[in-house]
Amino acid sequence: MADWIYILDPRRDTLDGEPSDKETMLQLAQEEPALELWLGRRNRMGPGDRLWFFFSRPEAAVAAVAEVDEEPRSDDEDPDIPFVVPVTLLTEATKSLYRDPVSRDELGLGQVRSVQKVKPEALPVLLARAGL
């Protein structure tokens, strides 16, 4: 199992047509937790991996988490999206992170990319804040 950081910028990214902010993610976790997310590259994600959502604005922090349901696959329907990965938001863990997000400093993030592995030293604080 691996843990990944998935970067969302609420100014330009959307989730099912809604802004990609932590409020929308909390609502999705409670009402429609199954999502398909786009990836710029395939990565080596597998079922059971966790995807931690880092919101770049207004507060740069992780405030939601999902479990990867299937390996990333090519999106044959949209040539502008190279890969998609099916995930399910973890409702209770997302509620916990929403109330007490993990800041960029606590994660030890330098330059952020769209998807990257969680640093081993950041994982304990993510798990604790999510109640996992």
Side-chain angles (χ1 to χ4, degrees), residues 16-128:
D16 292 340
E18 298 294 325
S20 62
D21 55 25
K22 68 181 205 170
E23 287 76 20
T24 298
M25 192 66 80
L26 178 62
Q27 182 178 355
L28 287 170
Q30 294 171 325
E31 297 173 6
E32 296 179 53
L35 299 174
E36 279 197 348
L37 303 171
W38 71 270
L39 298 170
R41 57 190 178 121
R42 189 174 182 288
N43 296 307
R44 291 190 174 142
M45 290 179 190
D49 286 2
R50 283 183 293 250
L51 207 56
W52 301 88
F53 293 94
F54 178 86
F55 300 89
S56 62
R57 300 187 190 286
E59 173 189 5
V62 169
V65 63
E67 185 172 291
V68 174
D69 297 325
E70 301 172 26
E71 290 184 13
R73 64 179 185 276
S74 297
D75 187 351
D76 298 329
E77 295 176 19
D78 189 343
D80 294 331
I81 299 174
F83 299 96
V84 293
V85 61
V87 304
T88 300
L89 290 162
L90 303 178
T91 305
E92 293 306 315
T94 295
K95 285 180 186 178
S96 294
L97 287 164
Y98 178 86
R99 287 189 298 270
D100 192 10
V102 179
S103 73
R104 180 186 191 125
D105 291 341
E106 292 174 288
L107 292 169
L109 283 179
Q111 181 180 358
V112 292
R113 297 182 306 266
S114 59
V115 177
Q116 62 195 61
K117 283 210 168 183
V118 171
K119 292 182 178 185
E121 58 273 14
L123 188 55
V125 70
L126 286 168
L127 293 171

